[in-house]
Amino acid sequence: MSATADAEAAPPPRLILGSASPRRLELLSQIGIVPHALRPADIDETSRRNEAPRDYVRRMAAEKAAALELAADEAALTADTTVAVGRRILGKPADRAEAAAFMRLMSGRRHVVLTAMALRHGDRTALRLVETRVRMRSIDDRALERYLDVGDWQGKAGGYAIQGAAAAFIPWIGGSFSAVVGLPLSETAAMLSAIGIQPVAKGEPR
């Protein structure tokens, strides 16, 4: 058998999701992808001085992938999502006051949600960045306080999740909805397919 035939016959790598996010796990399940294991990467997520938001999310995704220990038959998928208003990066708010400040900053204007994915397989790492524009309607103080009381801002980039209570404030997006949630599904499926990992149809054995 030729080397080409051997390569074609080789099984796809086992997928390691380098994230503890239940949202990313749920998103992958929508396209029939079940990771072999979850292995969150432990890195410093502090942005650098004057670092542009797009550079920041690419770096975060790449550093997460590089930090994981992988076996020869494994591939790692990592991602990072952040919200940007101009050149300002809005990460996960430290407390209620910062969440309120983020929401006031986005109120009545558009912002950009950036999600970068890194797929590490062997000695190669593929990177992809997806940008989605989001418009948030003006939020009055009473509505903001009710939103903060729900607590949905905790652990969310920009202080909100588009699939949560903040959906009431978002009349329009331009781009990938799933990217705002945490993982752009079409782009992710294409990246995984390139290394032989295909979605599993319902009823098909894994």
Side-chain angles (χ1 to χ4, degrees):
M1 184 180 291
S2 69
T4 300
D6 285 339
E8 290 176 350
R14 296 184 299 175
L15 180 64
I16 306 302
L17 179 61
S19 173
S21 168
R23 295 176 299 280
R24 292 192 174 115
L25 191 60
E26 290 168 5
L27 285 168
L28 284 174
S29 72
Q30 289 182 31
I31 57 172
I33 298 293
V34 179
H36 175 75
L38 305 182
R39 204 173 295 165
D42 183 15
I43 66 168
D44 180 3
E45 298 190 31
T46 306
S47 59
R48 295 170 178 168
R49 185 177 181 182
N50 297 324
E51 186 171 28
R54 290 164 182 81
D55 295 334
Y56 169 74
V57 291
R58 288 191 191 99
R59 181 171 65 84
M60 286 296 97
E63 288 187 5
K64 288 176 183 178
L68 297 177
E69 293 187 10
L70 298 177
D73 63 345
E74 293 178 338
L77 175 67
T78 58
D80 191 78
T81 300
T82 198
V83 173
V85 178
R87 288 183 59 87
R88 181 174 175 182
I89 297 170
L90 305 186
K92 298 173 183 176
D95 51 32
R96 181 186 177 110
E98 188 169 43
F102 286 174
M103 296 298 286
R104 289 191 182 101
L105 181 62
M106 294 182 288
S107 174
R109 63 190 296 187
R110 293 186 184 185
H111 60 271
V112 176
V113 178
L114 304 165
T115 295
M117 303 90 70
L119 182 61
R120 178 180 155 211
H121 181 223
D123 59 358
R124 298 186 62 184
T125 299
L127 276 172
R128 184 77 183 267
L129 175 66
V130 174
E131 302 184 20
T132 304
R133 293 168 293 153
V134 179
R135 181 160 64 86
M136 192 169 284
R137 67 173 176 81
S138 295
I139 308 169
D140 62 40
D141 289 342
R142 290 182 63 185
L144 177 57
E145 290 303 316
R146 287 195 299 269
Y147 169 73
L148 296 172
D149 287 343
V150 172
D152 206 35
W153 53 269
Q154 297 180 59
K156 309 294 195 311
Y160 80 91
I162 195 169
Q163 74 278 19
F169 306 140
I170 299 171
W172 177 89
I173 73 167
S176 170
F177 177 86
S178 63
V180 183
V181 178
L183 202 63
L185 290 181
S186 177
E187 292 82 357
T188 299
M191 291 175 74
L192 293 174
S193 179
I195 62 170
I197 299 176
Q198 303 289 348
V200 179
K202 289 184 178 180
E204 182 179 340
R206 290 182 170 86

